[in-house]
Amino acid sequence: MAAPLLEVRNLRVEFPTRRGILTALDDVSFSIEPGEILGVVGESGAGKSMTGAAIIGLLEPPGRIARGEILLNGRRIDALPYAELRRIRGREIGAIFQDPLTTLNPLYSVGQQLVETMTTHLPITPDEARRRAIGWLEQVGIPAAAQRIDAYPHEFSGGMRQRVVIALALCAEPKLIVADEPTTALDVSIQAQVIALLKTLARDKGTAMMLITHDMGVIAETADRVAVMYAGRIAEIGPVRQVVLHARHPYSQGLMGSIPPLDRRVERLAQIDGSMPRLTAIPPGCAYNPRCPKVFGRCLGDRPDLMDAGPTQAACWLYDNV
Amino acid sequence: MFSFVVSRVLQAIPVMLVVAFISFAMFAYVGDPVSIMLGQDFTEAQRTALVHNLGLDRSFLVQFLTFVGNALQGEFGLSYRLGRPVAELIAERAPATLELAFCAAFIAIAIGVPMGVYTGLYRNSWLSRFFLTFSLIGVSLPTFLIGILLILVFAVNLGWLPSFGRGDVVSLGWWSTGFATATGWKALVLPAVTLGLFQLTLIMRLVRAEMLEVLRTDYIKFARARGLSNRAINFGHALKNTLVPVITVAGLQLGAIIAFAIVTETVFQWPGMGLLFIQSVGSADIPVMAAYLMLISAIFVTINLVVDLLYYAVDPRLRVGRRGH
């Protein structure tokens, strides 16, 4: 097995607040192979976006990495000085954010933003960068790219803007893209197009991707592997087919079970009872124990780490000594 | 673009007419020019003749239209106090005020904007705290007090700078400038600092607040995620987005600096329009007051027009309809 492109080891992110330290991510470990698409799913507040932000070094202060390490091609990037981290951002790890209406600077044309990103990272002239910028706009499916390059963000629709954001994330040819809910803010009809575009581009360029979403359909279609997050920890991680069809962790089972079936009518949509605990009130033992239908004594006291559960790994005592 | 300029100029016309009307009304309600001009000893025939010569026996509307017509030609009559044409008096004094105002505005912008950016970026550094405390002084101390304190320190105690006047001026045609001589520059320092200090602190606080706002936006976060340099992010992406409100305030403040240089000019005996105005108020010299009022209004209207045009230059979202979708 080749060396992983990205490796996250025992990552812990804390927020010091007036009422004590909140642990937003606890002991998160996973890796991404070159060219692989890892889906990250979970409810709001599970720590999906936080993990992405930690990888690109954009945790909102006062959030900080308290423990663990992040390695890119075997090199630690979680404690780099700003100047070096900056050279990694965009150049080695690209980012796509949720809302394309707010991620583009309204006062710069899309061409200016593309050229600026490329000339920052690549040894090319502005003329060459402009030529490539038109190429990128064509690749992400902007019609009449040569004319549209001087247009400003407000002159594009939401879906088109997200295509521009994708071009911006890819234009300095990073090896990894962190896409944080890239389609959540888009119309349903546009979502599939944008996901298909992302998938095609990632495959063509051999770019690995960490795709954060709460849309299981997107994950099932796009990802190679999937990590299910719950209350700041990874509950289960494994090949997408296994996790979607044969989830091992009770939380993943509940999550998959709540996808409404399309082939028959149901009286009531399936759901997991209760809600995810707040960061201030995570129960001892397994964080999922108050909602878990299979809870037993050990879950209340000991916190499970990821353990082998057949083809996937699950943080659940059901699979201890299997 | 052209139609926008035309429509703004057309909008300015009613504003200027209202101001003209107020200026004109002063003649009727503030004192009686006839009795001022005639002095103590006169006959009824002399009085009637003067009233006729001044056109005061004609109807109100005719008088007002005559006033507006004359004003359009830069003709504001004779000063009661000095007996010279008002337009000439103001033209003589305007360079002093304009030079002072532009220096003050330059100080305010050239120092206020970088200070605002700095305090926005490094909110918790001791220098930011110092700047903020300092700005509080600038905002809260009255101009005349600042002027007097500066005179005390730099003119009286240290003796470095003159405490009044404009120094030696050089005439360039109808414009007299203090920029050409060393004494002119030295004389400019204290009044310009006095006049600019309030604006400086105002601009600094505004830029700081806007920077704090903009730095929280997604597009700044995305710019960081693209790995742009700090310089490009802070001074390009962030600062440019703070400019629309800053231009608005800076424009209005420039108007205010020109119009309200009165206090500073009085403290420093600066021979500008403000000093002329305050002296005219003292002796009820209505033609000068009326002309000053109209000139200041014209300046405000012009500045507002320029500010509106600058919005277009800065913010592409306002340039509607130039490119198709």
Side-chain angles (χ1 to χ4, degrees), chain A residues 82 86 89-90 95 102-103 105 107-108 113 116-117 121 152 155, chain B residues 218-219 222 224-228 230 236-237 240-241 316-317 323:
Chain A
Y82 184 86
R86 180 173 86 67
R89 288 185 194 147
T102 58
T103 43
N105 191 327
L107 304 188
Y108 287 77
Q113 302 192 41
E116 175 186 47
T117 309
H121 294 296
Y152 288 89
E155 297 171 88
Chain B
D218 281 350
Y219 54 81
F222 189 55
R224 291 197 197 289
R226 284 192 279 145
L228 302 184
N230 262 337
H237 289 258
K240 200 171 173 192
N241 272 286
R317 283 167 294 188
R323 244 186 304 265

PDB file of all heavy atoms in Angstrom, chain A residues 82 86 89-90 95 102-103 105 107-108 113 116-117 121 152 155, chain B residues 218-219 222 224-228 230 236-237 240-241 316-317 323:
ATOM      1  N   TYR A  82       3.267  30.593   9.763  1.00  0.00           N
ATOM      2  CA  TYR A  82       2.278  31.067   8.797  1.00  0.00           C
ATOM      3  C   TYR A  82       2.808  31.083   7.368  1.00  0.00           C
ATOM      4  O   TYR A  82       2.128  30.656   6.434  1.00  0.00           O
ATOM      5  CB  TYR A  82       1.805  32.472   9.192  1.00  0.00           C
ATOM      6  CG  TYR A  82       0.719  32.980   8.284  1.00  0.00           C
ATOM      7  CD1 TYR A  82      -0.619  32.669   8.540  1.00  0.00           C
ATOM      8  CD2 TYR A  82       1.017  33.727   7.152  1.00  0.00           C
ATOM      9  CE1 TYR A  82      -1.612  33.091   7.701  1.00  0.00           C
ATOM     10  CE2 TYR A  82       0.021  34.162   6.304  1.00  0.00           C
ATOM     11  CZ  TYR A  82      -1.294  33.842   6.584  1.00  0.00           C
ATOM     12  OH  TYR A  82      -2.277  34.259   5.737  1.00  0.00           O
ATOM     13  N   ARG A  86       1.059  28.979   4.383  1.00  0.00           N
ATOM     14  CA  ARG A  86       0.458  29.703   3.267  1.00  0.00           C
ATOM     15  C   ARG A  86       0.843  29.058   1.935  1.00  0.00           C
ATOM     16  O   ARG A  86       0.059  29.013   0.998  1.00  0.00           O
ATOM     17  CB  ARG A  86       0.951  31.147   3.318  1.00  0.00           C
ATOM     18  CG  ARG A  86       0.438  32.025   2.250  1.00  0.00           C
ATOM     19  CD  ARG A  86       0.862  33.440   2.503  1.00  0.00           C
ATOM     20  NE  ARG A  86       2.179  33.740   1.980  1.00  0.00           N
ATOM     21  CZ  ARG A  86       2.474  33.777   0.696  1.00  0.00           C
ATOM     22  NH1 ARG A  86       1.556  33.503  -0.191  1.00  0.00           N
ATOM     23  NH2 ARG A  86       3.680  34.077   0.293  1.00  0.00           N
ATOM     24  N   ARG A  89      -1.361  25.982   1.473  1.00  0.00           N
ATOM     25  CA  ARG A  89      -2.761  26.286   1.139  1.00  0.00           C
ATOM     26  C   ARG A  89      -2.872  26.700  -0.312  1.00  0.00           C
ATOM     27  O   ARG A  89      -2.151  27.581  -0.765  1.00  0.00           O
ATOM     28  CB  ARG A  89      -3.263  27.444   1.985  1.00  0.00           C
ATOM     29  CG  ARG A  89      -3.477  27.106   3.415  1.00  0.00           C
ATOM     30  CD  ARG A  89      -4.077  28.327   4.051  1.00  0.00           C
ATOM     31  NE  ARG A  89      -4.033  28.251   5.488  1.00  0.00           N
ATOM     32  CZ  ARG A  89      -3.873  29.308   6.262  1.00  0.00           C
ATOM     33  NH1 ARG A  89      -3.737  30.501   5.720  1.00  0.00           N
ATOM     34  NH2 ARG A  89      -3.860  29.174   7.559  1.00  0.00           N
ATOM     35  N   GLY A  90      -3.809  26.120  -1.015  1.00  0.00           N
ATOM     36  CA  GLY A  90      -3.987  26.473  -2.420  1.00  0.00           C
ATOM     37  C   GLY A  90      -3.059  25.656  -3.294  1.00  0.00           C
ATOM     38  O   GLY A  90      -3.484  25.075  -4.284  1.00  0.00           O
ATOM     39  N   ALA A  95      -9.256  24.320  -1.165  1.00  0.00           N
ATOM     40  CA  ALA A  95     -10.459  24.271  -0.333  1.00  0.00           C
ATOM     41  C   ALA A  95     -11.661  24.774  -1.124  1.00  0.00           C
ATOM     42  O   ALA A  95     -11.544  25.657  -1.960  1.00  0.00           O
ATOM     43  CB  ALA A  95     -10.271  25.128   0.917  1.00  0.00           C
ATOM     44  N   THR A 102     -20.847  33.799  -1.008  1.00  0.00           N
ATOM     45  CA  THR A 102     -20.025  34.621  -0.113  1.00  0.00           C
ATOM     46  C   THR A 102     -18.534  34.305  -0.188  1.00  0.00           C
ATOM     47  O   THR A 102     -17.738  35.009   0.409  1.00  0.00           O
ATOM     48  CB  THR A 102     -20.475  34.450   1.359  1.00  0.00           C
ATOM     49  OG1 THR A 102     -20.385  33.068   1.692  1.00  0.00           O
ATOM     50  CG2 THR A 102     -21.880  34.927   1.582  1.00  0.00           C
ATOM     51  N   THR A 103     -18.148  33.260  -0.931  1.00  0.00           N
ATOM     52  CA  THR A 103     -16.718  32.910  -0.904  1.00  0.00           C
ATOM     53  C   THR A 103     -15.906  33.653  -1.950  1.00  0.00           C
ATOM     54  O   THR A 103     -14.679  33.613  -1.914  1.00  0.00           O
ATOM     55  CB  THR A 103     -16.476  31.401  -1.096  1.00  0.00           C
ATOM     56  OG1 THR A 103     -17.320  30.922  -2.110  1.00  0.00           O
ATOM     57  CG2 THR A 103     -16.715  30.645   0.165  1.00  0.00           C
ATOM     58  N   ASN A 105     -14.660  37.184  -3.638  1.00  0.00           N
ATOM     59  CA  ASN A 105     -14.590  38.609  -3.314  1.00  0.00           C
ATOM     60  C   ASN A 105     -15.374  39.409  -4.358  1.00  0.00           C
ATOM     61  O   ASN A 105     -15.060  39.342  -5.542  1.00  0.00           O
ATOM     62  CB  ASN A 105     -13.129  39.047  -3.284  1.00  0.00           C
ATOM     63  CG  ASN A 105     -12.971  40.436  -2.703  1.00  0.00           C
ATOM     64  OD1 ASN A 105     -13.834  41.291  -2.866  1.00  0.00           O
ATOM     65  ND2 ASN A 105     -11.879  40.666  -2.021  1.00  0.00           N
ATOM     66  N   LEU A 107     -15.428  42.405  -5.254  1.00  0.00           N
ATOM     67  CA  LEU A 107     -14.812  43.542  -5.934  1.00  0.00           C
ATOM     68  C   LEU A 107     -13.729  43.129  -6.930  1.00  0.00           C
ATOM     69  O   LEU A 107     -13.116  43.977  -7.556  1.00  0.00           O
ATOM     70  CB  LEU A 107     -14.212  44.515  -4.914  1.00  0.00           C
ATOM     71  CG  LEU A 107     -15.167  45.053  -3.857  1.00  0.00           C
ATOM     72  CD1 LEU A 107     -14.507  46.147  -3.042  1.00  0.00           C
ATOM     73  CD2 LEU A 107     -16.445  45.572  -4.482  1.00  0.00           C
ATOM     74  N   TYR A 108     -13.469  41.830  -7.052  1.00  0.00           N
ATOM     75  CA  TYR A 108     -12.464  41.367  -8.012  1.00  0.00           C
ATOM     76  C   TYR A 108     -13.151  40.498  -9.069  1.00  0.00           C
ATOM     77  O   TYR A 108     -14.003  39.682  -8.736  1.00  0.00           O
ATOM     78  CB  TYR A 108     -11.397  40.536  -7.306  1.00  0.00           C
ATOM     79  CG  TYR A 108     -10.440  41.339  -6.452  1.00  0.00           C
ATOM     80  CD1 TYR A 108     -10.817  41.820  -5.208  1.00  0.00           C
ATOM     81  CD2 TYR A 108      -9.156  41.612  -6.899  1.00  0.00           C
ATOM     82  CE1 TYR A 108      -9.943  42.560  -4.425  1.00  0.00           C
ATOM     83  CE2 TYR A 108      -8.275  42.349  -6.131  1.00  0.00           C
ATOM     84  CZ  TYR A 108      -8.670  42.823  -4.900  1.00  0.00           C
ATOM     85  OH  TYR A 108      -7.804  43.544  -4.137  1.00  0.00           O
ATOM     86  N   GLN A 113      -9.099  36.905  -9.658  1.00  0.00           N
ATOM     87  CA  GLN A 113      -8.937  35.999  -8.522  1.00  0.00           C
ATOM     88  C   GLN A 113      -8.182  34.738  -8.941  1.00  0.00           C
ATOM     89  O   GLN A 113      -7.347  34.228  -8.207  1.00  0.00           O
ATOM     90  CB  GLN A 113     -10.298  35.682  -7.894  1.00  0.00           C
ATOM     91  CG  GLN A 113     -10.998  36.963  -7.439  1.00  0.00           C
ATOM     92  CD  GLN A 113     -12.216  36.760  -6.543  1.00  0.00           C
ATOM     93  OE1 GLN A 113     -12.231  35.928  -5.656  1.00  0.00           O
ATOM     94  NE2 GLN A 113     -13.251  37.555  -6.753  1.00  0.00           N
ATOM     95  N   GLU A 116      -4.448  35.748  -9.692  1.00  0.00           N
ATOM     96  CA  GLU A 116      -3.764  36.021  -8.431  1.00  0.00           C
ATOM     97  C   GLU A 116      -3.381  34.713  -7.721  1.00  0.00           C
ATOM     98  O   GLU A 116      -2.274  34.569  -7.215  1.00  0.00           O
ATOM     99  CB  GLU A 116      -4.732  36.836  -7.582  1.00  0.00           C
ATOM    100  CG  GLU A 116      -4.325  37.161  -6.204  1.00  0.00           C
ATOM    101  CD  GLU A 116      -5.475  37.848  -5.490  1.00  0.00           C
ATOM    102  OE1 GLU A 116      -6.629  37.364  -5.567  1.00  0.00           O
ATOM    103  OE2 GLU A 116      -5.229  38.869  -4.850  1.00  0.00           O
ATOM    104  N   THR A 117      -4.312  33.749  -7.710  1.00  0.00           N
ATOM    105  CA  THR A 117      -4.024  32.475  -7.044  1.00  0.00           C
ATOM    106  C   THR A 117      -2.887  31.749  -7.753  1.00  0.00           C
ATOM    107  O   THR A 117      -1.976  31.223  -7.113  1.00  0.00           O
ATOM    108  CB  THR A 117      -5.285  31.589  -7.048  1.00  0.00           C
ATOM    109  OG1 THR A 117      -6.375  32.355  -6.548  1.00  0.00           O
ATOM    110  CG2 THR A 117      -5.082  30.373  -6.175  1.00  0.00           C
ATOM    111  N   HIS A 121       1.326  30.941  -6.519  1.00  0.00           N
ATOM    112  CA  HIS A 121       1.881  29.612  -6.253  1.00  0.00           C
ATOM    113  C   HIS A 121       2.740  29.043  -7.369  1.00  0.00           C
ATOM    114  O   HIS A 121       3.565  28.182  -7.123  1.00  0.00           O
ATOM    115  CB  HIS A 121       0.742  28.629  -5.981  1.00  0.00           C
ATOM    116  CG  HIS A 121      -0.010  28.920  -4.727  1.00  0.00           C
ATOM    117  ND1 HIS A 121       0.573  28.848  -3.490  1.00  0.00           N
ATOM    118  CD2 HIS A 121      -1.294  29.299  -4.506  1.00  0.00           C
ATOM    119  CE1 HIS A 121      -0.329  29.157  -2.569  1.00  0.00           C
ATOM    120  NE2 HIS A 121      -1.463  29.441  -3.157  1.00  0.00           N
ATOM    121  N   TYR A 152     -17.595  39.910 -12.994  1.00  0.00           N
ATOM    122  CA  TYR A 152     -17.490  39.900 -11.538  1.00  0.00           C
ATOM    123  C   TYR A 152     -18.414  38.833 -10.959  1.00  0.00           C
ATOM    124  O   TYR A 152     -19.399  38.444 -11.606  1.00  0.00           O
ATOM    125  CB  TYR A 152     -17.841  41.286 -10.985  1.00  0.00           C
ATOM    126  CG  TYR A 152     -16.762  42.297 -11.283  1.00  0.00           C
ATOM    127  CD1 TYR A 152     -16.776  43.025 -12.462  1.00  0.00           C
ATOM    128  CD2 TYR A 152     -15.702  42.467 -10.406  1.00  0.00           C
ATOM    129  CE1 TYR A 152     -15.763  43.928 -12.761  1.00  0.00           C
ATOM    130  CE2 TYR A 152     -14.687  43.362 -10.688  1.00  0.00           C
ATOM    131  CZ  TYR A 152     -14.719  44.095 -11.858  1.00  0.00           C
ATOM    132  OH  TYR A 152     -13.705  44.971 -12.143  1.00  0.00           O
ATOM    133  N   GLU A 155     -22.170  38.649 -11.353  1.00  0.00           N
ATOM    134  CA  GLU A 155     -22.749  38.436 -12.677  1.00  0.00           C
ATOM    135  C   GLU A 155     -22.954  36.954 -12.992  1.00  0.00           C
ATOM    136  O   GLU A 155     -23.364  36.601 -14.088  1.00  0.00           O
ATOM    137  CB  GLU A 155     -21.860  39.095 -13.742  1.00  0.00           C
ATOM    138  CG  GLU A 155     -21.782  40.606 -13.546  1.00  0.00           C
ATOM    139  CD  GLU A 155     -20.754  41.270 -14.440  1.00  0.00           C
ATOM    140  OE1 GLU A 155     -21.106  41.627 -15.564  1.00  0.00           O
ATOM    141  OE2 GLU A 155     -19.596  41.420 -14.014  1.00  0.00           O
TER     142      GLU A 155
ATOM    143  N   ASP B 218     -16.521  35.245   4.524  1.00  0.00           N
ATOM    144  CA  ASP B 218     -16.080  34.005   3.890  1.00  0.00           C
ATOM    145  C   ASP B 218     -15.042  34.244   2.819  1.00  0.00           C
ATOM    146  O   ASP B 218     -14.153  33.438   2.616  1.00  0.00           O
ATOM    147  CB  ASP B 218     -17.289  33.293   3.253  1.00  0.00           C
ATOM    148  CG  ASP B 218     -18.099  32.545   4.286  1.00  0.00           C
ATOM    149  OD1 ASP B 218     -17.635  32.428   5.423  1.00  0.00           O
ATOM    150  OD2 ASP B 218     -19.195  32.070   3.941  1.00  0.00           O
ATOM    151  N   TYR B 219     -15.159  35.381   2.087  1.00  0.00           N
ATOM    152  CA  TYR B 219     -14.211  35.520   0.984  1.00  0.00           C
ATOM    153  C   TYR B 219     -12.805  35.814   1.471  1.00  0.00           C
ATOM    154  O   TYR B 219     -11.837  35.501   0.782  1.00  0.00           O
ATOM    155  CB  TYR B 219     -14.676  36.541  -0.065  1.00  0.00           C
ATOM    156  CG  TYR B 219     -15.012  37.913   0.429  1.00  0.00           C
ATOM    157  CD1 TYR B 219     -14.028  38.844   0.672  1.00  0.00           C
ATOM    158  CD2 TYR B 219     -16.336  38.281   0.616  1.00  0.00           C
ATOM    159  CE1 TYR B 219     -14.348  40.114   1.100  1.00  0.00           C
ATOM    160  CE2 TYR B 219     -16.671  39.540   1.052  1.00  0.00           C
ATOM    161  CZ  TYR B 219     -15.668  40.459   1.294  1.00  0.00           C
ATOM    162  OH  TYR B 219     -15.982  41.714   1.730  1.00  0.00           O
ATOM    163  N   PHE B 222     -11.629  32.378   2.393  1.00  0.00           N
ATOM    164  CA  PHE B 222     -11.319  31.655   1.162  1.00  0.00           C
ATOM    165  C   PHE B 222     -10.009  32.159   0.564  1.00  0.00           C
ATOM    166  O   PHE B 222      -9.218  31.381   0.034  1.00  0.00           O
ATOM    167  CB  PHE B 222     -12.473  31.804   0.161  1.00  0.00           C
ATOM    168  CG  PHE B 222     -12.334  30.923  -1.054  1.00  0.00           C
ATOM    169  CD1 PHE B 222     -12.162  29.559  -0.922  1.00  0.00           C
ATOM    170  CD2 PHE B 222     -12.372  31.473  -2.324  1.00  0.00           C
ATOM    171  CE1 PHE B 222     -12.031  28.746  -2.047  1.00  0.00           C
ATOM    172  CE2 PHE B 222     -12.241  30.664  -3.446  1.00  0.00           C
ATOM    173  CZ  PHE B 222     -12.077  29.299  -3.303  1.00  0.00           C
ATOM    174  N   ARG B 224      -7.527  33.217   2.253  1.00  0.00           N
ATOM    175  CA  ARG B 224      -6.484  32.559   3.040  1.00  0.00           C
ATOM    176  C   ARG B 224      -6.328  31.111   2.603  1.00  0.00           C
ATOM    177  O   ARG B 224      -5.213  30.600   2.493  1.00  0.00           O
ATOM    178  CB  ARG B 224      -6.824  32.597   4.531  1.00  0.00           C
ATOM    179  CG  ARG B 224      -6.758  33.976   5.116  1.00  0.00           C
ATOM    180  CD  ARG B 224      -6.689  33.953   6.640  1.00  0.00           C
ATOM    181  NE  ARG B 224      -7.027  35.252   7.185  1.00  0.00           N
ATOM    182  CZ  ARG B 224      -6.246  36.321   7.090  1.00  0.00           C
ATOM    183  NH1 ARG B 224      -5.073  36.220   6.499  1.00  0.00           N
ATOM    184  NH2 ARG B 224      -6.637  37.486   7.568  1.00  0.00           N
ATOM    185  N   ALA B 225      -7.458  30.445   2.356  1.00  0.00           N
ATOM    186  CA  ALA B 225      -7.396  29.045   1.934  1.00  0.00           C
ATOM    187  C   ALA B 225      -6.718  28.916   0.571  1.00  0.00           C
ATOM    188  O   ALA B 225      -6.210  27.860   0.232  1.00  0.00           O
ATOM    189  CB  ALA B 225      -8.798  28.446   1.886  1.00  0.00           C
ATOM    190  N   ARG B 226      -6.730  29.994  -0.224  1.00  0.00           N
ATOM    191  CA  ARG B 226      -6.044  29.950  -1.516  1.00  0.00           C
ATOM    192  C   ARG B 226      -4.559  30.238  -1.344  1.00  0.00           C
ATOM    193  O   ARG B 226      -3.814  30.245  -2.314  1.00  0.00           O
ATOM    194  CB  ARG B 226      -6.651  31.002  -2.456  1.00  0.00           C
ATOM    195  CG  ARG B 226      -7.989  30.584  -3.020  1.00  0.00           C
ATOM    196  CD  ARG B 226      -8.391  31.505  -4.144  1.00  0.00           C
ATOM    197  NE  ARG B 226      -8.971  32.753  -3.690  1.00  0.00           N
ATOM    198  CZ  ARG B 226      -8.802  33.915  -4.301  1.00  0.00           C
ATOM    199  NH1 ARG B 226      -8.028  34.000  -5.350  1.00  0.00           N
ATOM    200  NH2 ARG B 226      -9.372  35.000  -3.830  1.00  0.00           N
ATOM    201  N   GLY B 227      -4.146  30.543  -0.118  1.00  0.00           N
ATOM    202  CA  GLY B 227      -2.719  30.728   0.133  1.00  0.00           C
ATOM    203  C   GLY B 227      -2.177  32.067  -0.314  1.00  0.00           C
ATOM    204  O   GLY B 227      -0.978  32.209  -0.508  1.00  0.00           O
ATOM    205  N   LEU B 228      -3.042  33.071  -0.463  1.00  0.00           N
ATOM    206  CA  LEU B 228      -2.539  34.394  -0.841  1.00  0.00           C
ATOM    207  C   LEU B 228      -1.712  34.971   0.306  1.00  0.00           C
ATOM    208  O   LEU B 228      -1.856  34.565   1.458  1.00  0.00           O
ATOM    209  CB  LEU B 228      -3.713  35.331  -1.149  1.00  0.00           C
ATOM    210  CG  LEU B 228      -4.656  34.867  -2.240  1.00  0.00           C
ATOM    211  CD1 LEU B 228      -5.709  35.937  -2.498  1.00  0.00           C
ATOM    212  CD2 LEU B 228      -3.900  34.553  -3.518  1.00  0.00           C
ATOM    213  N   ASN B 230      -0.359  37.574   3.125  1.00  0.00           N
ATOM    214  CA  ASN B 230      -1.036  38.453   4.074  1.00  0.00           C
ATOM    215  C   ASN B 230      -1.261  39.833   3.505  1.00  0.00           C
ATOM    216  O   ASN B 230      -2.292  40.460   3.690  1.00  0.00           O
ATOM    217  CB  ASN B 230      -0.182  38.581   5.332  1.00  0.00           C
ATOM    218  CG  ASN B 230      -0.680  37.647   6.413  1.00  0.00           C
ATOM    219  OD1 ASN B 230      -1.842  37.254   6.393  1.00  0.00           O
ATOM    220  ND2 ASN B 230       0.186  37.285   7.322  1.00  0.00           N
ATOM    221  N   GLY B 236      -5.256  44.251  -0.119  1.00  0.00           N
ATOM    222  CA  GLY B 236      -6.031  44.131  -1.352  1.00  0.00           C
ATOM    223  C   GLY B 236      -7.463  43.782  -1.022  1.00  0.00           C
ATOM    224  O   GLY B 236      -8.344  44.630  -0.971  1.00  0.00           O
ATOM    225  N   HIS B 237      -7.686  42.506  -0.730  1.00  0.00           N
ATOM    226  CA  HIS B 237      -9.052  42.011  -0.581  1.00  0.00           C
ATOM    227  C   HIS B 237      -9.809  42.692   0.547  1.00  0.00           C
ATOM    228  O   HIS B 237     -10.960  43.065   0.382  1.00  0.00           O
ATOM    229  CB  HIS B 237      -9.021  40.504  -0.374  1.00  0.00           C
ATOM    230  CG  HIS B 237      -8.624  39.769  -1.614  1.00  0.00           C
ATOM    231  ND1 HIS B 237      -9.528  39.133  -2.415  1.00  0.00           N
ATOM    232  CD2 HIS B 237      -7.434  39.618  -2.212  1.00  0.00           C
ATOM    233  CE1 HIS B 237      -8.903  38.601  -3.447  1.00  0.00           C
ATOM    234  NE2 HIS B 237      -7.622  38.878  -3.350  1.00  0.00           N
ATOM    235  N   LYS B 240      -9.910  46.970   0.266  1.00  0.00           N
ATOM    236  CA  LYS B 240     -10.744  47.436  -0.843  1.00  0.00           C
ATOM    237  C   LYS B 240     -12.233  47.322  -0.507  1.00  0.00           C
ATOM    238  O   LYS B 240     -13.025  48.159  -0.895  1.00  0.00           O
ATOM    239  CB  LYS B 240     -10.428  46.629  -2.107  1.00  0.00           C
ATOM    240  CG  LYS B 240     -10.860  47.334  -3.369  1.00  0.00           C
ATOM    241  CD  LYS B 240     -10.359  46.659  -4.621  1.00  0.00           C
ATOM    242  CE  LYS B 240     -10.974  47.322  -5.831  1.00  0.00           C
ATOM    243  NZ  LYS B 240     -10.753  46.561  -7.057  1.00  0.00           N
ATOM    244  N   ASN B 241     -12.569  46.288   0.262  1.00  0.00           N
ATOM    245  CA  ASN B 241     -13.974  46.118   0.626  1.00  0.00           C
ATOM    246  C   ASN B 241     -14.430  47.088   1.710  1.00  0.00           C
ATOM    247  O   ASN B 241     -15.618  47.214   1.958  1.00  0.00           O
ATOM    248  CB  ASN B 241     -14.241  44.679   1.067  1.00  0.00           C
ATOM    249  CG  ASN B 241     -14.580  43.798  -0.113  1.00  0.00           C
ATOM    250  OD1 ASN B 241     -15.672  43.871  -0.663  1.00  0.00           O
ATOM    251  ND2 ASN B 241     -13.620  42.992  -0.531  1.00  0.00           N
ATOM    252  N   PRO B 316     -17.948  47.033  -8.481  1.00  0.00           N
ATOM    253  CA  PRO B 316     -18.498  46.630  -9.774  1.00  0.00           C
ATOM    254  C   PRO B 316     -19.986  46.291  -9.700  1.00  0.00           C
ATOM    255  O   PRO B 316     -20.678  46.341 -10.707  1.00  0.00           O
ATOM    256  CB  PRO B 316     -17.681  45.387 -10.138  1.00  0.00           C
ATOM    257  CG  PRO B 316     -17.145  44.877  -8.849  1.00  0.00           C
ATOM    258  CD  PRO B 316     -16.949  46.086  -7.980  1.00  0.00           C
ATOM    259  N   ARG B 317     -20.478  45.979  -8.488  1.00  0.00           N
ATOM    260  CA  ARG B 317     -21.898  45.619  -8.398  1.00  0.00           C
ATOM    261  C   ARG B 317     -22.805  46.789  -8.732  1.00  0.00           C
ATOM    262  O   ARG B 317     -23.968  46.620  -9.065  1.00  0.00           O
ATOM    263  CB  ARG B 317     -22.226  45.123  -6.983  1.00  0.00           C
ATOM    264  CG  ARG B 317     -21.744  43.719  -6.737  1.00  0.00           C
ATOM    265  CD  ARG B 317     -21.794  43.378  -5.290  1.00  0.00           C
ATOM    266  NE  ARG B 317     -20.852  44.188  -4.530  1.00  0.00           N
ATOM    267  CZ  ARG B 317     -20.576  43.982  -3.256  1.00  0.00           C
ATOM    268  NH1 ARG B 317     -21.179  43.027  -2.606  1.00  0.00           N
ATOM    269  NH2 ARG B 317     -19.708  44.738  -2.637  1.00  0.00           N
ATOM    270  N   ARG B 323     -22.573  44.969 -18.713  1.00  0.00           N
ATOM    271  CA  ARG B 323     -22.284  43.695 -19.355  1.00  0.00           C
ATOM    272  C   ARG B 323     -23.526  42.836 -19.254  1.00  0.00           C
ATOM    273  O   ARG B 323     -24.235  42.884 -18.270  1.00  0.00           O
ATOM    274  CB  ARG B 323     -21.143  42.997 -18.621  1.00  0.00           C
ATOM    275  CG  ARG B 323     -19.889  42.804 -19.446  1.00  0.00           C
ATOM    276  CD  ARG B 323     -18.904  41.988 -18.659  1.00  0.00           C
ATOM    277  NE  ARG B 323     -18.605  42.596 -17.379  1.00  0.00           N
ATOM    278  CZ  ARG B 323     -17.564  43.393 -17.168  1.00  0.00           C
ATOM    279  NH1 ARG B 323     -16.752  43.679 -18.140  1.00  0.00           N
ATOM    280  NH2 ARG B 323     -17.338  43.908 -15.986  1.00  0.00           N
TER     281      ARG B 323
END
